[in-house]
Amino acid sequence: MRKYIVGLILMSQLLAFETYAQEESSTSKKSEHYIGLQANQLIRQVFNFSNTNSVLNNPYLLTWSVNSLQTGAGFTMGLGYNFNQSNDGDQFVDRTVTLNDVFIRMGYEKKSRLAPKVIFSLGADVLFDRQRSETKTEEKTQSDLVSETSNTTLSGGFGPRFTLNYQLHEKILIGTEANFYFKWTKTDNTQKQVFFETVFDPVTGQPRTVRRTQDETESQKSKRFQLNSPAVIFLILKF
């Protein structure tokens, strides 16, 4: 019986120590982290509002920010990545299409509460995008013609961003954002053809097959303002 009493005393002391440690760590906490995941596709699959798929201009699938508890100011970052490869063709042609896109942004923001459960933030970002599409076509004929077309777009820019979050739980929020970015864009279009040609040797007069390559590249530069309306929905975890 004495052992059980001693055990209960030790357990109570341990629980009291853990509670005190948690309170001390919470009071010493100086910042909060927010990790957001774009949830439009998930919400559409769960609720099935309609059969039409609206196009979203916001490519940032994952967001992260760290903000001061005292001032609300902090650093924020957004990442987006898209990779897709498809193959098609027929008995004469094989075709492969590859898409590989990367989106990165970093910036400064300040969070403030409009209501007990509503958090508003205002910030500014710098961004970098790289979008690349490649199409490779191979003919199944005696010419063995191979055609490769690539389109590479590099973009950089900056601009303001606004977010509005609603706190569903102490650690879970749902939110949306709008941004207005000024972007410089450079696009390179490259076409490459590989084919085989029969030529005659000038010395022996015998025919032989020669591999030929033709390359063509075109570049285009542009500047534009891009407005992303608050159509995107983020599920956010706070810790």
Side-chain angles (χ1 to χ4, degrees), residues 113-126:
R113 286 191 178 271
L114 300 181
K117 291 185 176 294
V118 180
I119 301 176
F120 172 79
S121 72
L122 172 63
D125 300 320
V126 293

Side-chain angles (χ1 to χ4, degrees), residues 10-162:
L10 292 175
M11 186 176 295
S12 62
Q13 293 295 326
L14 179 62
L15 291 175
F17 175 77
E18 289 182 352
T19 303
Y20 174 77
Q22 290 178 358
E23 291 178 354
E24 185 179 8
S25 62
S26 62
T27 55
S28 62
K29 188 177 180 182
K30 297 182 179 180
S31 62
E32 289 181 325
H33 295 257
Y34 298 83
I35 295 180
L37 180 65
Q38 194 176 129
N40 290 67
Q41 293 295 332
L42 176 62
I43 294 175
R44 185 179 292 112
Q45 291 295 328
V46 173
F47 294 99
N48 194 18
F49 291 115
S50 64
N51 294 326
T52 59
N53 294 326
S54 58
V55 178
L56 294 177
N57 293 326
N58 196 320
Y60 304 101
L61 304 179
L62 183 67
T63 62
W64 168 73
S65 66
V66 53
N67 299 82
S68 169
L69 283 172
Q70 183 176 2
T71 63
F75 172 81
T76 181
M77 185 175 184
L79 297 173
Y81 181 70
N82 177 39
F83 178 83
N84 186 19
Q85 188 175 74
S86 61
N87 297 276
D88 62 356
D90 50 32
Q91 58 182 341
F92 302 106
V93 176
D94 282 337
R95 183 181 297 105
T96 303
V97 179
T98 304
L99 302 178
N100 196 344
D101 304 331
V102 178
F103 306 90
I104 301 174
R105 76 180 183 194
M106 293 180 291
Y108 168 88
E109 71 170 11
K110 185 172 183 180
K111 282 183 167 61
S112 58
R113 286 191 178 271
L114 300 181
K117 291 185 176 294
V118 180
I119 301 176
F120 172 79
S121 72
L122 172 63
D125 300 320
V126 293
L127 56 123
F128 172 78
D129 306 342
R130 180 185 181 273
Q131 303 177 64
R132 182 174 177 83
S133 63
E134 298 178 345
T135 302
K136 183 177 181 180
T137 305
E138 300 183 30
E139 294 186 5
K140 303 176 183 178
T141 60
Q142 294 181 353
S143 61
D144 293 329
L145 178 65
V146 178
S147 177
E148 297 181 4
T149 302
S150 64
N151 182 285
T152 304
T153 301
L154 299 177
S155 301
F158 62 93
R161 174 178 45 84
F162 313 89

